[in-house]
Each structure stands twice: as C-alpha cells, then as structure tokens.
C-alpha cells in the first residue's frame, strides 16, 4: 500500500470509528460507503490485523483497532499541521472555516458578522453549523466553536467573549394585569415560563430569599408554558404570557424598547456563565482560523448586548 492509499485508508478508518458506520463516514468524506469499506479492509490487510468487527448495524473496534485509532489521529493531525504550516506562508487567509454555534446565538450574533468577515478576507469560506448540543470540536472536524455556560477547563484554547447574565423578565402588560412580585415566594402566584433543555431537564432559576442570603436553585413550577428555545422564551414573555428567566443578551432588544421589565434584581442571581470562542491547541494556528477568530472576537466583544453590566440591567427593573 503506497503513501496515498495509506492516508485514504486511515481517514476512512478514523471517520468510520468516530461515526460508527461506513455510511456516515462516507457522507463525511464525500465518497461511497463501499469505498470506505474497501479502504478499511485494505488497511487491515496491510497491517495483518482486524481493526473492526462489523455487523449490519454497527462497528466495534478490536483491541488492535483502538490502539491504532490513537496513532492514526496523531498522524492525521501531523498532516494537518504540515499543510497549515505551508498555508501560513500565504499572504491572505483562504479556505473553509467550520464553525459550530448554538442556534439562538448563531442566528442573532454570528451570522450577521459573516458579510464583514468575507469582505475583509474574500478567500475565506465560512461554514456555520447551528447545533445546541456540545460538540467534540476535534472529532467533528470543526475549526472553531462558540459556546456559552459554565465552561470547564479543556485541552482547547478558550477566548472569552463576554459574561452571560440572566434576568427575570415580564412585559408591562402582564405586570399591569397580574401585579409585580416583590419577593421570590410571590412568583408561585404568577404564570411562569420554563425552559426545557434537550436532555429533558428544566432550567432552574437562582434566587435568594432576601438580599445577601444564600442562592438556591428554584424550578419554575407549575409552568404555564414550556419552551426549548431561548428566543421563544423572550418572545413569549414579551407577548404577555408570563414571567421568564432569559439571557440578558437575548432580552436586550425588548428591554431597550420597554417591551420587557427586569424583576427581582436584588433577589435573582445572574449566574457565573460566560460566552467563549474555542479552537484546538496547535503549534501553529492556520491563517484562515486566526483571521476568523480575530474578526469574530473584535466584533462580538464590542456588541452592546454582550457588554451589559448588572447596573445597567437593574436600571431596567419594574
């Protein structure tokens, strides 16, 4: 097996292992499932060992396959690094940049920036994947991921975009009809809008019984409405359907317009969350990735809705 066939075979093997099937690997590589199977079989023949046990429904790595998978990934990463090293010598960033971002943040804040990015770097080809799940950047083949929440330490480079504050909000019309709660225990008398994550759990609200007291997680139950999308939460609250907890950056246009008011700012804890841009550690970051990272950070870090302070938000309370 010559060098070219080895590279094709390793790519087929790694993609099949990561995706769990030849068909999914084929879609990722842009070749046929039969070609993936032939490549893997050729690799096994060259190595003299079975790397995968196949059935009609699944693939299972053998012990030798598991050991070889890590070596194959290292080899592919070394190849990527060699290509990126050559690309670094080019004057202008060029090529495809794969970005993973959540639906709400991606549509509202990232997608509008792409025309400016391409205007600055015309040879770039952004590829934006909207996905609310936490993706594996390396296995998914992404160059960049933008994610919010409590960000754990990882092997990725993390660049902070902003702090993410949450607020309790309701429309003036709802408050006029149902009254404005003055204490957390009064919330049970109101219509509450809950957010349900993709895993089925409900997003808790963080509340203090009194200013300065410990923070307790509190579930908005019984809910009058349950949604799974951050924008739907804001829109439902603005339509007068009840009280909701929302990311301040999502609620900001409605707060600015007076269509929502902040509730219980001294009792509600805004959380310790952040929005970050992440990309894999590499000895050399490809120019196409560096240019995209620099531009997105430059634009996002100065967006008014992403620079909100707690003092600003408290000034918009009912």
């Amino acid at each position: 097996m010559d060098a070219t066939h080895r590279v094709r075979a390793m790519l087929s093997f790694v993609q099949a292992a990561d995706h769990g099937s030849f068909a999914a690997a084929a879609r990722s590589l842009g070749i046929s499932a039969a070609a993936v199977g032939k490549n893997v079989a050729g690799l096994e023949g060259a190595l003299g060992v079975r790397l995968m046990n196949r059935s009609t429904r699944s693939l299972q790595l053998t012990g030798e396959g598991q050991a070889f998978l890590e070596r194959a990934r290292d080899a592919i990463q070394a190849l990527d690094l060699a290509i990126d090293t050559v690309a670094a010598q080019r004057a202008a960033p060029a090529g495809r940049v794969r970005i993973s971002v959540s639906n709400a943040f991606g549509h509202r804040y990232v997608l509008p920036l792409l025309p400016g990015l391409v205007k600055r770097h015309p040879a770039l080809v952004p590829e934006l994947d909207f996905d609310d799940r936490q993706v594996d950047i390396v296995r998914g083949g992404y160059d960049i991921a933008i994610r919010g929440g409590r960000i754990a330490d990882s092997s990725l480079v993390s660049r902070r975009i902003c702090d993410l504050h949450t607020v309790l909000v309701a429309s003036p019309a709802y408050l006029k009809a149902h009254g404005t709660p003055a204490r957390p225990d009064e919330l049970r008398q109101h219509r509450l809008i809950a957010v349900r994550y993709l895993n089925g759990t409900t997003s808790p609200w963080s509340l203090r019984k009194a200013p300065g007291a410990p923070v307790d997680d509190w579930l908005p139950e019984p809910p009058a409405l349950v949604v799974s999308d951050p924008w739907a939460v804001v829109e439902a609250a603005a339509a007068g359907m009840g009280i909701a907890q929302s990311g301040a950056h999502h609620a900001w246009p409605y707060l600015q317009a007076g269509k929502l008011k902040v509730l219980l700012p001294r009792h509600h804890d805004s959380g310790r969350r952040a929005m970050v841009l992440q990309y894999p550690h590499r000895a050399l970051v490809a120019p196409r990735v560096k240019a995209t990272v620099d531009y997105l950070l430059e634009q996002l870090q100065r967006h008014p809705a992403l620079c909100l302070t707690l003092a600003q938000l408290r000034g918009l309370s009912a």
Side-chain angles (χ1 to χ4, degrees):
M1 181 179 286
D2 62 27
T4 300
H5 286 95
R6 285 179 182 176
V7 172
R8 290 175 182 168
M10 281 196 298
L11 286 170
S12 293
F13 168 70
V14 170
Q15 289 295 317
D18 287 346
H19 289 86
S21 75
F22 287 169
R27 287 192 294 271
S28 176
L29 294 169
I31 59 178
S32 68
V36 172
K38 182 178 179 181
N39 288 341
V40 172
L43 182 62
E44 291 176 324
L47 295 173
V49 296
R50 179 172 286 277
L51 300 175
M52 292 177 166
N53 291 318
R54 292 85 138 169
S55 71
T56 55
R57 294 188 177 181
S58 66
L59 301 175
Q60 184 68 40
L61 290 177
T62 64
E64 293 82 1
Q66 188 63 55
F68 184 75
L69 178 62
E70 300 308 317
R71 297 293 182 90
R73 283 207 181 105
D74 290 343
I76 292 170
Q77 185 174 11
L79 178 60
D80 284 342
L81 179 58
I83 293 171
D84 288 345
T85 300
V86 174
Q89 299 172 11
R90 299 175 62 171
R96 183 179 69 156
V97 184
R98 294 194 67 207
I99 305 168
S100 174
V101 66
S102 64
N103 276 285
F105 192 87
H107 281 99
R108 175 68 179 175
Y109 295 105
V110 180
L111 190 59
L113 299 180
L114 297 189
L117 172 64
V118 174
K119 183 177 181 180
R120 182 179 294 185
H121 303 291
L124 286 181
V125 182
E127 184 175 305
L128 207 56
D129 280 2
F130 298 99
D131 196 334
D132 291 328
R133 298 169 297 177
Q134 293 291 335
V135 301
D136 186 316
I137 297 179
V138 176
R139 288 193 176 187
Y142 293 103
D143 297 298
I144 298 168
I146 300 174
R147 285 293 180 263
R150 293 182 174 90
I151 307 300
D153 291 337
S154 72
S155 60
L156 303 172
V157 179
S158 291
R159 305 280 298 276
R160 180 180 287 266
I161 295 171
C162 64
D163 292 327
L164 287 181
H165 301 300
T166 59
V167 286
L168 294 183
V169 293
S171 71
Y174 174 86
L175 298 175
K176 183 177 180 180
H178 300 276
T180 302
R183 301 185 310 274
D185 58 8
E186 295 179 8
L187 289 171
R188 298 292 185 193
Q189 304 166 21
H190 285 267
R191 296 179 60 81
L192 308 177
I193 303 170
V195 177
R196 185 165 293 154
Y197 296 124
L198 293 176
N199 63 9
T201 61
T202 299
S203 176
W205 298 3
S206 298
L207 295 163
R208 301 179 177 89
K209 292 182 179 179
V215 175
D216 294 317
D217 281 344
W218 187 86
L219 292 177
E221 294 179 346
L225 174 67
V226 180
V227 297
S228 62
D229 178 77
W231 277 115
V233 174
V234 174
E235 291 169 352
M241 296 191 68
I243 298 173
Q245 177 178 265
S246 168
H249 58 295
H250 292 314
W252 179 240
Y254 294 90
L255 291 168
Q256 270 189 310
K259 296 179 180 180
L260 287 176
K261 292 292 184 181
V262 174
L263 305 180
L264 300 173
R266 299 178 65 207
H267 295 84
H268 180 251
D269 184 78
S270 67
R272 302 292 182 270
R273 300 174 181 85
M275 182 66 68
V276 299
L277 184 153
Q278 296 182 316
Y279 52 94
H281 273 288
R282 285 185 177 176
L284 179 65
V285 178
R288 58 188 171 80
V289 176
K290 184 179 186 305
T292 305
V293 167
D294 289 347
Y295 182 82
L296 292 179
L297 286 174
E298 170 194 311
Q299 298 298 317
L300 292 171
Q301 287 176 342
R302 68 187 189 192
H303 194 294
L306 302 179
C307 302
L308 296 171
T309 66
L310 292 177
Q312 283 177 284
L313 295 170
R314 287 169 181 161
L316 298 168
S317 57

